[in-house]
Amino acid sequence: MAGMMEHFTPIVFTPAATPHMACTDVFADMWMSVVIQPALQNGGVYKPLETLQNIIDVDWGKLGLCVSCVTEKRAEWTREQESIWEMMDKWID
């Protein structure tokens, strides 16, 4: 559990950044209410795959991100899900 938390906690508690400052600002403004608070309320800090999916599923475009940044970040979070899935065996041992 410690290895998973060490890897995943920064993802949840650090607002995402993008190549566009305006989109990074949206993340900075919304991250607490859209990502951190729900993760704390529903135990999402202990459910990395589910929490990443919840982040992916947010309508970031409606919140002000451009299509390019939404696409880039969703792909990044999907790769992170795959990475976590691959590391599960190591963490379980």
Side-chain angles (χ1 to χ4, degrees):
M1 188 65 130
M4 180 184 71
M5 294 303 297
E6 183 178 311
H7 178 84
F8 183 60
T9 300
I11 295 168
V12 172
F13 290 101
T14 307
T18 71
H20 304 124
M21 183 53 88
C23 292
T24 298
D25 287 345
V26 170
F27 278 135
D29 291 342
M30 303 301 297
W31 200 257
M32 176 60 83
S33 63
V34 174
V35 175
I36 296 174
Q37 285 178 334
L40 292 173
Q41 291 171 342
N42 69 19
V45 294
Y46 304 108
K47 301 180 260 184
L49 298 174
E50 181 180 321
T51 298
L52 282 164
Q53 190 61 51
N54 291 340
I55 297 169
I56 290 167
D57 291 343
V58 170
D59 188 348
W60 292 106
K62 186 176 179 180
L63 296 176
L65 266 74
C66 73
V67 172
S68 173
C69 287
V70 170
T71 301
E72 176 185 309
K73 297 315 288 185
R74 284 187 173 146
E76 181 181 316
W77 294 320
T78 299
R79 287 189 304 273
E80 190 59 45
Q81 284 178 310
E82 293 165 357
S83 173
I84 288 170
W85 188 254
E86 290 172 5
M87 290 186 269
M88 288 284 192
D89 287 337
K90 177 182 170 187
W91 291 331
I92 292 172
D93 285 340

